[in-house]
Amino acid sequence: MENEWFMQCNHGQIVFSKPYEGETHSYDINSMYASIMRHVNFKIPIKQGTFQKLTTQEFDDAKFFQYGIYRVNIINDGNENTRKMFRFNTNHYYTSTDLSVAKKLGLTMTLMEDCEFNFLGYGKGTCMQGILV
């Protein structure tokens, strides 16, 4: 079941382009990837997470999103710039990082409350920091 959640929240990278003519610059994205992986806040699950049923109240009152995967409906605000910075998931499975970005963009988020779990969390002792890899 945990693997299914990983697969459901994997909905691809952000893709945006528009025609451009003129001087361009290149970034060393290969080095950037290693830098991100070694960041102290980058976490890699090494143990099984815990499935939970959160309430809307718990979700709305949270000061931050606990590391994990959430089942959330995020409303597309129709702004073309939003799609440049956020990738919507038709399956409604999002990582805590996705939700933090959606919140910064001011998108409306509604926790899926049905008979199923809506959160797969990785608490203390279930992750390794990227710096230790």
Side-chain angles (χ1 to χ4, degrees):
M1 188 164 154
E2 188 173 18
N3 184 54
E4 180 183 328
W5 279 52
F6 275 107
M7 298 304 289
Q8 292 291 339
C9 77
N10 183 8
H11 52 277
Q13 68 281 0
I14 297 172
V15 178
F16 169 78
S17 69
K18 68 178 186 178
Y20 173 79
E21 290 186 27
E23 186 177 348
T24 62
H25 301 277
S26 174
Y27 294 96
D28 185 355
I29 59 171
N30 293 328
S31 292
M32 186 175 106
Y33 179 76
S35 173
I36 292 170
M37 294 284 291
R38 293 196 41 85
H39 192 276
V40 69
N41 290 332
F42 185 79
K43 298 177 183 177
I44 302 164
I46 57 171
K47 294 183 181 174
Q48 185 171 336
T50 304
F51 287 96
Q52 300 174 39
K53 289 183 185 178
L54 300 178
T55 65
T56 296
Q57 187 72 40
E58 290 171 320
F59 181 76
D60 292 343
D61 290 349
K63 295 189 188 325
F64 65 93
F65 299 108
Q66 183 183 335
Y67 188 75
I69 300 171
Y70 295 75
R71 291 181 52 241
V72 176
N73 185 27
I74 301 179
I75 305 298
N76 185 342
D77 63 1
N79 182 334
E80 70 178 62
N81 288 322
T82 300
R83 294 193 69 80
K84 295 175 188 176
M85 298 180 281
F86 189 79
R87 182 87 181 240
F88 292 91
N89 183 334
T90 56
N91 299 320
H92 306 290
Y93 287 77
Y94 293 95
T95 66
S96 45
T97 302
D98 292 330
L99 297 185
S100 294
V101 171
K103 186 174 184 175
K104 284 181 183 175
L105 292 173
L107 299 174
T108 302
M109 299 183 284
T110 307
L111 184 70
M112 307 287 278
E113 281 193 285
D114 49 24
C115 296
E116 299 179 29
F117 296 114
N118 53 19
F119 176 57
L120 171 57
Y122 295 91
K124 188 175 182 174
T126 62
C127 294
M128 177 186 292
Q129 290 180 310
I131 194 83
L132 300 174
V133 175

